[in-house]
Amino acid sequence: MPQLATGFRVEQGVPSSCEFEIKAPQLDEVVIAISHFGLNRADLAQLAGHYPPPVGASDILGLEASGEVVAVGPAVSRLKIGDRVCALLAAGGYADHVVVSEQQVAVLPDEISAEQGAALCEAYATAWYNLYEVAGLQAGERLLLHAGASSVGLAALQLARHNHNPVFVTAGSDEKISYCQQLGAEAGWNRHQGDFVAAVQDWGGADVIIDPVAGDYLAQDQQVLNLDGRIVVLGLMGGRTANIDAGRLLMKRQRIQGSTLRNQPLQVKGRIMRALEQNLWPLLRTGDCQVIVDEVFPVTELHTALTRMRENRTQGKLVMAW
Amino acid sequence: MPQLATGFRVEQGVPSSCEFEIKAPQLDEVVIAISHFGLNRADLAQLAGHYPPPVGASDILGLEASGEVVAVGPAVSRLKIGDRVCALLAAGGYADHVVVSEQQVAVLPDEISAEQGAALCEAYATAWYNLYEVAGLQAGERLLLHAGASSVGLAALQLARHNHNPVFVTAGSDEKISYCQQLGAEAGWNRHQGDFVAAVQDWGGADVIIDPVAGDYLAQDQQVLNLDGRIVVLGLMGGRTANIDAGRLLMKRQRIQGSTLRNQPLQVKGRIMRALEQNLWPLLRTGDCQVIVDEVFPVTELHTALTRMRENRTQGKLVMAW
């Protein structure tokens, strides 16, 4: 285990390479030598100054990574040096080493590459947590996924289809919708062709909506949401001011719920990672769920990769390799 | 058991006396000879044409009543003829007889009068359901009750205080606030003195808000709601159009949930009534919770009583006696 690591922190709106000290792992912490890390839209928000890391977290960017355990704290019980792992991080993923509680770490099955490992944590943890813990998606319920071709959208789509929940996606191009349909979406709507209300109503409405858009979408979500339906807001791509119809909210007993994962307590992250090991790992092994990696870049091309994500030209996850 | 009953249905916006046929009780149904029934704000909405009874329910007004069981269906297991009971109804309470599933009925303890029995079902069922099932109020969490001196407000206040949850109330007069404080509210705010945001923030904010107002209140609710807080919307006294801050919703992981009880399935109503028997009856017996009856009117003064409710000059429940 080295004493110094290399990583990227925010300086004047761009990721700036730096060295930082790695402390010895305490209690349930492990040190991971990172081989790959995943990029997330939240990283762009942090670069823009809108999304500081949680109190006490590293100022190094990055929410997920894969690699090998190179040191373990005295209370570590589930992991050992040499394990090939992935980690769901509050910060610190844009680096060659990270120190993290073993609760946030899972051992990768042999069938899952390190590239895929770096690409699955945020997407599947977010999808799992919001579908099953926050929204409480039940058998047979109908699911509307906005930004269906995003990493979270593709993860939620596959989980839902495996459980036989009908899925409608919205996305920004016909190609993205076709791709979602190949992965099991029943129907889709290209947002450049107007609002989605009539199309989703014709499809049969939704019981659960995963919405990273908010803004004007919320009132439209309400119009397509069935009795006792739940809207989970994961992002603000459409802006933060929203008009809602409290009458419809009341009479249809609708729920609108904001959800973030990054600043959840360790206990919640640990519970999600254990749920993924138990429920997702078997599906990844059999191919019933896939990890959609758009492209793997060398870390020297971090700027190029971030620009591509900023311009919304992705279908699945961008991964960086050391 | 008579063949004909007397009741009140809506005709041209006012309650109109009528006779209707009582069918023999089927399966788990019982017939109750009603001695008293409670008035609810929802009745005013039904009179105004805004709140039709659920599909399949009687067109006779009324959501709660007390009286004596006079006939039982062949599958009834919990009740017998002669039981002194109260009932949570989807409709049919403004009458001298009602036919209802025994699931919606509870036997009154000896310590509870028929007047109180007619006054407790809606208020305590609504308070219980929304505090503990919908909002999931936890030990130590802070509760904001709008319309704190309403029947639901007073029931929620007493349940919450018994469980040591700190309570802040808003109401329309200093007298109502003083009354709530006598019943255990820590603090209150007279809505005629401006918006409640600073007062509730100074108090420490709220984890759960029970809001029968909606409209402009929702954005203010968001400002005083703590991380992971829940707003339960029970009514639209402030109007149905609301602006919300989706950014705050997201970053504070807030939930806004509409909730109605009347059109819930029988299973839900039965579960709530069993919860009240188990949890509320002991508190009513010892006086730890009280049923707040504002006044008991003879049924000949129904118009007078409804006018008083419409003019918001109540503190607790108005009850009618046959």
Side-chain angles (χ1 to χ4, degrees):
Chain A
M1 192 191 110
Q3 300 302 306
L4 280 181
T6 300
F8 295 88
R9 60 165 62 100
V10 184
E11 272 185 26
Q12 301 187 317
V14 296
S16 169
S17 179
C18 61
E19 290 204 321
F20 63 97
E21 192 185 347
I22 315 177
K23 295 179 186 149
Q26 304 295 305
L27 296 170
D28 70 343
E29 290 176 340
V30 301
V31 180
I32 301 171
I34 292 175
S35 66
H36 297 82
F37 60 89
L39 303 193
N40 285 279
R41 207 158 285 277
D43 307 340
L44 297 178
Q46 185 170 344
L47 283 163
H50 301 318
Y51 196 33
V55 175
S58 162
D59 66 348
I60 302 292
L61 286 153
L63 302 180
E64 58 188 335
S66 64
E68 187 181 316
V69 174
V70 293
V72 298
V76 166
S77 63
R78 297 179 41 258
L79 299 176
K80 62 182 188 306
I81 289 174
D83 279 348
R84 210 168 62 89
V85 296
C86 62
L88 178 69
L89 304 168
Y94 282 27
D96 59 3
H97 288 80
V98 68
V99 184
V100 61
S101 164
E102 68 168 340
Q103 294 186 55
Q104 295 166 246
V105 179
V107 176
L108 286 171
D110 290 342
E111 296 86 346
I112 304 301
S113 69
E115 289 84 350
Q116 291 172 316
L120 70 83
C121 280
E122 268 291 318
Y124 274 103
T126 301
W128 179 274
Y129 177 63
N130 289 295
L131 288 182
Y132 302 113
E133 289 205 23
V134 178
L137 184 69
Q138 300 294 308
E141 286 194 317
R142 303 173 73 77
L143 178 64
L144 169 59
L145 297 173
H146 293 309
S150 67
S151 297
V152 172
L154 294 172
L157 167 59
Q158 294 181 82
L159 289 170
R161 285 308 295 169
H162 177 74
N163 292 315
H164 309 292
N165 291 100
V167 179
F168 189 111
V169 295
T170 68
S173 76
D174 290 346
E175 290 69 28
K176 288 183 176 181
I177 290 165
S178 296
Y179 186 66
C180 291
Q181 288 180 312
Q182 288 171 35
L183 284 173
E186 278 192 356
W189 182 256
N190 182 337
R191 68 168 184 272
H192 297 298
Q193 301 188 324
D195 82 43
F196 57 82
V197 173
V200 179
Q201 283 174 340
D202 289 348
W203 177 66
D207 302 299
V208 169
I209 303 176
I210 302 293
D211 185 347
V213 182
D216 292 343
Y217 267 35
L218 277 186
Q220 297 173 44
D221 287 345
Q222 282 197 278
Q223 291 181 61
V224 304
L225 196 65
N226 297 331
L227 184 70
D228 290 317
R230 290 84 75 198
I231 302 165
V232 183
V233 176
L234 299 187
L236 300 171
M237 294 167 74
R240 63 185 289 171
T241 302
N243 264 295
I244 66 166
D245 177 348
R248 190 182 290 269
L249 185 88
L250 178 62
M251 295 312 296
K252 293 271 189 178
R253 299 193 299 245
Q254 297 177 338
R255 182 199 296 177
I256 305 173
Q257 166 101 50
S259 177
T260 61
L261 190 54
R262 186 182 194 181
N263 59 354
Q264 289 279 6
L266 186 57
Q267 177 196 5
V268 173
K269 290 177 180 163
R271 189 173 68 217
I272 298 168
M273 290 303 280
R274 301 294 79 73
L276 292 186
E277 286 176 332
Q278 186 173 347
N279 299 286
L280 177 64
W281 274 201
L283 302 178
L284 292 177
R285 281 197 176 103
T286 57
D288 285 328
C289 280
Q290 299 167 40
V291 181
I292 316 294
V293 177
D294 182 308
E295 191 168 344
V296 181
F297 291 87
V299 76
T300 49
E301 292 183 31
L302 180 58
H303 177 75
T304 305
L306 286 169
T307 299
R308 177 145 147 206
M309 184 166 63
R310 188 178 285 115
E311 291 173 355
N312 220 10
R313 293 183 290 113
T314 58
Q315 199 162 276
K317 182 70 75 175
L318 301 181
V319 170
M320 309 305 300
W322 284 97
Chain B
M1 191 190 112
Q3 300 301 306
L4 280 179
T6 300
F8 294 89
R9 59 164 64 99
V10 183
E11 273 185 24
Q12 302 188 314
V14 296
S16 170
S17 179
C18 63
E19 290 203 321
F20 63 97
E21 192 185 346
I22 315 178
K23 294 180 187 151
Q26 305 295 305
L27 296 172
D28 70 344
E29 290 176 340
V30 300
V31 181
I32 301 170
I34 292 175
S35 65
H36 297 81
F37 60 88
L39 303 193
N40 285 280
R41 206 158 286 278
D43 308 339
L44 298 178
Q46 186 170 343
L47 283 163
H50 300 319
Y51 196 34
V55 174
S58 163
D59 65 349
I60 302 292
L61 287 152
L63 301 180
E64 58 187 336
S66 64
E68 188 181 316
V69 175
V70 294
V72 299
V76 166
S77 62
R78 296 179 41 258
L79 299 176
K80 61 181 189 305
I81 291 173
D83 279 348
R84 210 169 62 89
V85 297
C86 63
L88 179 70
L89 303 167
Y94 283 27
D96 59 2
H97 289 81
V98 68
V99 184
V100 60
S101 164
E102 67 168 341
Q103 294 186 56
Q104 295 167 247
V105 180
V107 176
L108 286 171
D110 291 340
E111 296 85 346
I112 305 300
S113 69
E115 289 84 351
Q116 291 173 316
L120 70 81
C121 280
E122 269 290 318
Y124 274 104
T126 301
W128 179 274
Y129 177 63
N130 289 295
L131 287 181
Y132 302 113
E133 289 206 22
V134 178
L137 183 69
Q138 300 294 309
E141 286 194 317
R142 305 173 72 77
L143 178 63
L144 169 60
L145 297 172
H146 292 309
S150 67
S151 298
V152 172
L154 294 173
L157 167 58
Q158 294 181 81
L159 288 170
R161 284 309 295 169
H162 176 74
N163 291 316
H164 309 294
N165 291 100
V167 179
F168 188 110
V169 296
T170 69
S173 74
D174 290 345
E175 290 70 26
K176 288 183 176 181
I177 290 165
S178 295
Y179 186 66
C180 291
Q181 288 180 310
Q182 287 170 34
L183 284 173
E186 277 191 358
W189 182 256
N190 183 337
R191 69 168 184 270
H192 297 298
Q193 301 189 320
D195 81 42
F196 57 82
V197 173
V200 179
Q201 284 174 339
D202 288 347
W203 177 65
D207 301 299
V208 169
I209 302 176
I210 302 294
D211 184 348
V213 182
D216 292 343
Y217 267 36
L218 278 186
Q220 296 173 43
D221 287 345
Q222 281 196 279
Q223 291 181 60
V224 303
L225 195 64
N226 298 331
L227 185 70
D228 290 316
R230 293 82 77 197
I231 301 166
V232 183
V233 176
L234 300 187
L236 301 170
M237 296 168 74
R240 64 186 288 171
T241 302
N243 264 296
I244 65 166
D245 177 347
R248 191 182 291 269
L249 185 89
L250 178 62
M251 295 312 295
K252 292 272 189 176
R253 299 193 298 249
Q254 297 178 337
R255 181 200 296 178
I256 305 174
Q257 166 99 52
S259 176
T260 61
L261 191 53
R262 186 182 194 181
N263 60 354
Q264 289 280 6
L266 187 56
Q267 178 196 4
V268 173
K269 290 177 181 162
R271 190 173 67 216
I272 297 168
M273 290 302 281
R274 300 295 79 74
L276 292 186
E277 286 176 332
Q278 188 175 345
N279 299 284
L280 178 64
W281 276 198
L283 302 178
L284 294 176
R285 281 197 175 104
T286 56
D288 285 328
C289 281
Q290 299 167 40
V291 181
I292 315 293
V293 177
D294 182 307
E295 192 168 344
V296 181
F297 291 88
V299 75
T300 49
E301 291 184 31
L302 180 57
H303 177 73
T304 305
L306 287 168
T307 300
R308 177 144 147 207
M309 185 165 61
R310 190 178 284 115
E311 291 174 354
N312 220 11
R313 292 184 290 113
T314 57
Q315 198 161 278
K317 183 69 74 173
L318 300 181
V319 171
M320 310 305 300
W322 284 97

